[in-house]
Amino acid sequence: MTDKEKNDYFYVCSLIEFTARKTNNKRGIVVDALGLDGVRKQLKDAEVNHCLSFEQVSDELIGQYVVTDGNFDTVTNCKYRIPGFMDIGRLYMYLIQDLAKPGTEAETLMVVFRSFLSDEISNFSTGVYYENLSYLEESFKVGYLLE
């Protein structure tokens, strides 16, 4: 992945995280609403959209792709300081960079955000987000959190 591509994936992953928090959805719900074509469009537009506020781009995304409000709120009742949406976006960017075969990054983004691991990362009461990247990658590969 080139530096530009990393930056685009970082932005789009952060946007997905931001939008999921805003709409109280699992991250997979947001990528399902976007679909593969929508993910690719967001990646293509990332270089321009990063100059805009996340709020504005997220509102446009919610309207265009009809992302309805859900009930997956892992922020409101969390007792601890939660990582920022860009911190989570960076983590997803690294996961995609390491897990994707060349040319399958957009598809890998969708698979990772739809996976059990995404729900675990979003459960800010557990601290899975703080785990070592290689641990998260190996857990993803086997389909459950390793002990």
Side-chain angles (χ1 to χ4, degrees):
M1 212 184 272
T2 67
D3 286 343
K4 182 198 175 306
E5 289 170 326
K6 287 180 195 175
N7 194 37
D8 292 346
Y9 277 88
F10 170 50
Y11 174 82
V12 171
C13 290
S14 297
L15 179 62
I16 292 166
E17 178 67 21
F18 182 92
T19 302
R21 289 183 189 190
K22 183 173 185 167
T23 60
N24 291 326
N25 276 305
K26 292 184 176 188
R27 286 56 183 158
I29 298 292
V30 175
V31 297
D32 283 345
L34 290 170
L36 185 56
D37 289 340
V39 167
R40 287 184 173 142
K41 180 177 182 349
Q42 294 307 310
L43 289 164
K44 180 178 170 271
D45 296 346
E47 193 170 11
V48 173
N49 284 346
H50 83 269
C51 298
L52 304 171
S53 72
F54 275 96
E55 292 86 357
Q56 179 182 348
V57 179
S58 178
D59 285 345
E60 291 170 4
L61 187 139
I62 290 166
Q64 182 176 356
Y65 295 96
V66 192
V67 181
T68 59
D69 286 342
N71 60 3
F72 188 70
D73 182 3
T74 60
V75 175
T76 302
N77 294 320
C78 188
K79 296 187 239 180
Y80 310 104
R81 182 179 169 272
I82 62 168
F85 67 93
M86 292 180 78
D87 296 323
I88 299 292
R90 181 175 286 107
L91 173 64
Y92 280 112
M93 183 270 299
Y94 285 127
L95 285 168
I96 293 160
Q97 173 187 321
D98 292 352
L99 293 169
K101 291 178 174 62
T104 67
E105 293 86 358
E107 292 86 349
T108 301
L109 178 150
M110 294 190 72
V111 170
V112 169
F113 273 106
R114 288 175 174 153
S115 74
F116 83 95
L117 187 58
S118 181
D119 292 347
E120 294 291 341
I121 290 169
S122 298
N123 183 354
F124 301 122
S125 296
T126 65
V128 170
Y129 160 76
Y130 297 104
E131 293 290 344
N132 182 290
L133 183 61
S134 61
Y135 167 79
L136 295 175
E137 290 170 359
E138 293 305 314
S139 292
F140 174 81
K141 289 175 186 176
V142 298
Y144 57 89
L145 290 177
L146 297 169
E147 293 186 27

